Amino acid sequence: MAAPNFIERSFEIAAGRCEDLTPLVYRRLFDAHPEARAMFRTEGSELVKGSMLALTIDAILDFAGERTGHFRLIISEVSSHDAYGTPRELFVAFFGVIAQTLRDIVGTDWSDEIDA
């Protein structure tokens, strides 16, 4: 029997409680990093945000799970975001913002195992 994947479990719990993480994640990102708001164009940015978050979640789950290769998107996106002028610290902070948002949604079901 495989060990439980607590990262996957946190996303499962959140999915049962929240229809769309996108507005919550980006609200938290823009509150913590207001400079990030200007990096998104006005028209079509909701689709870009949703797509960016979906690809990031897919990469996180792959990295924490089977490692079929989707996690390699992370290093590729580091390079493309460098080219966009995105500070590396902001790129990395996005992952923490996702985790903090999950923690808020999961609430009392957040465990030490998930935290680790």
Side-chain angles (χ1 to χ4, degrees), residues 2-115:
N5 185 325
F6 294 106
I7 292 173
E8 186 175 290
R9 182 69 186 132
S10 69
F11 279 102
E12 288 171 354
I13 295 168
R17 297 179 183 174
C18 178
E19 186 175 310
D20 185 3
L21 289 174
T22 308
L24 301 175
V25 167
Y26 283 92
R27 184 176 314 121
R28 185 181 294 270
L29 177 67
F30 296 152
D31 285 350
H33 302 277
E35 71 280 10
R37 187 179 303 277
M39 296 176 175
F40 290 88
R41 64 179 185 243
T42 343
E43 288 186 38
S45 70
E46 295 309 310
L47 292 173
V48 171
K49 291 175 195 171
S51 175
M52 191 168 114
L53 180 59
L55 289 170
T56 304
I57 291 170
D58 188 43
I60 290 169
L61 291 173
D62 187 53
F63 185 78
E66 297 179 21
R67 295 206 178 175
T68 60
H70 295 171
F71 71 92
R72 289 186 176 98
L73 175 71
I74 296 169
I75 193 64
S76 164
E77 287 300 317
V78 165
S79 296
S80 69
H81 281 73
D82 282 349
Y84 296 143
T86 303
R88 187 70 57 94
E89 298 78 27
L90 181 58
F91 183 89
V92 172
F94 188 62
F95 292 89
V97 166
I98 294 168
Q100 291 165 355
T101 304
L102 287 173
R103 186 179 192 141
D104 286 351
I105 294 167
V106 171
T108 58
D109 289 321
W110 190 268
S111 65
D112 291 339
E113 292 84 6
I114 293 173
D115 206 48

